[in-house]
Amino acid sequence: MTDILIERAANIEALEAELRADLGALVKGVSAGPYGVMLHLGDQAAARDIQQARAIAAAHDPAVRTPQQIAIQQRQQRLAQERADHADPLNPVDYIPGVGAPQAELIARLAARLAWLETEIRDLRGL
Amino acid sequence: MPATWTPPLTWTTDQLVTASDLNTHLRDNLEFLKDPPTTAALLNESANYSTTSTTFVNVDATKLTLTLTTSGGAVLIGFSGMCLNSGGTFAIYFDVDIDGARFAGDDGITGSAAAAVEHFAFAILKTGLAAGTHTFKLMWRVSGGTGIFYTGAGTANADIHPYFWAREV
């Protein structure tokens, strides 16, 4: 393993994607901590590979997110909105057919709650 | 200065026992057993650690690398901390590098999918170490996603201080 210490902030997922786009399987990952940012390259990394990795890290913009990070953020925003939309506990009395709203509307409301619960479960499972 | 271990004498009949013998073979050895070589790191950092590496790498080559000078006994090594994989279904694995070789190999000593903040802990006994100075490095990797290792950096509900230690036994 060839470790390269970079003393700057980074979005490590985005930086890894940028490194992989250029250096391919030579890139083993990126780590960060109080010490800074560490680029992990394979043992076979040549001097020019290390130089290229340093150049990519220097040009890296930590504010730019990966498509996956954007998707995760959008999912969290949708989930937060759905939680707000369903803040009131479900009251079974509201769903008795023929008492209140038309049956089609009741089914639609139940389906919306079910879809929200499915989203919550998928989020808990990290899917 | 901590006492050092001296292989105890085998006493013989009519042997003259000097103060030096008693100090070396009884006092010093008892003091060594009472307070054996020990080293530990309790972290309280300003930022958490993170990694995307799918190959084992040091968590922190400085703060989580322990050095211990032993007298040839086994070494008990322990770790406790909290981690999360922000990628959801991916796992985090831990191992210890001892003098340049990983203790367990393969996927390490412990590992788990950590879609939520999860506790990781282990205690291992390393035998067969010669007397001398040894290094113990905490290592980790992920199967995908980004592993987050909490360091007491003030993260809400995860302001956890990891502890990594080694002691000759």
Side-chain angles (χ1 to χ4, degrees), chain B residues 58-138:
Chain B
N58 296 324
V59 179
D60 187 321
T62 303
K63 293 181 178 174
L64 291 172
T65 293
L66 305 176
T67 301
L68 196 65
T69 301
T70 69
S71 296
V75 176
L76 191 60
I77 305 145
F79 165 72
S80 179
M82 300 286 280
C83 296
L84 165 74
N85 191 316
S86 63
T89 55
F90 296 109
I92 298 173
Y93 304 95
F94 284 96
D95 203 347
V96 176
D97 176 296
I98 302 174
D99 296 335
R102 284 202 291 123
F103 175 80
D106 298 328
D107 284 334
I109 297 162
T110 185
S112 176
V117 177
E118 189 166 319
H119 179 230
F120 287 78
F122 61 78
I124 55 174
L125 183 67
K126 175 61 178 174
T127 57
L129 288 175
T133 300
H134 303 283
T135 59
F136 307 88
K137 298 179 182 179
L138 185 65

Side-chain angles (χ1 to χ4, degrees), chain B residues 4 14 16 22 35 43 48 50 75-76 95 100 127 136 145 147 154:
Chain B
T4 55
D14 295 332
L16 176 63
L22 291 172
D35 185 20
L43 297 189
N48 296 318
S50 56
V75 176
L76 191 60
D95 203 347
T127 57
F136 307 88

Side-chain angles (χ1 to χ4, degrees), chain A residues 2-21:
Chain A
T2 303
D3 290 334
I4 306 162
L5 180 63
I6 307 291
E7 293 186 5
R8 57 159 303 174
N11 172 345
I12 66 169
E13 291 176 24
L15 179 54
E16 180 183 338
E18 291 161 12
L19 290 165
R20 282 192 188 280

Side-chain angles (χ1 to χ4, degrees), chain A residues 13 16 28 30-32 34 125, chain B residues 49-54 89 146:
Chain A
E13 291 176 24
E16 180 183 338
K28 302 303 178 190
V30 178
S31 300
R125 294 181 63 201
Chain B
Y49 297 115
S50 56
T51 191
T52 65
S53 182
T54 51
T89 55
T146 299

Side-chain angles (χ1 to χ4, degrees), chain A residues 22-23 29 36 40 63 82 94 96 119:
Chain A
D22 205 74
L23 298 168
H40 307 294
E82 288 186 39
D94 296 339
I96 298 172
T119 308

Side-chain angles (χ1 to χ4, degrees), chain A residues 99-123:
Chain A
V99 173
Q103 192 165 358
E105 185 186 323
L106 295 180
I107 291 171
R109 280 160 53 188
L110 279 174
R113 279 203 174 255
L114 195 60
W116 165 52
L117 289 175
E118 184 183 5
T119 308
E120 290 281 12
I121 291 166
R122 291 177 68 85
D123 184 66

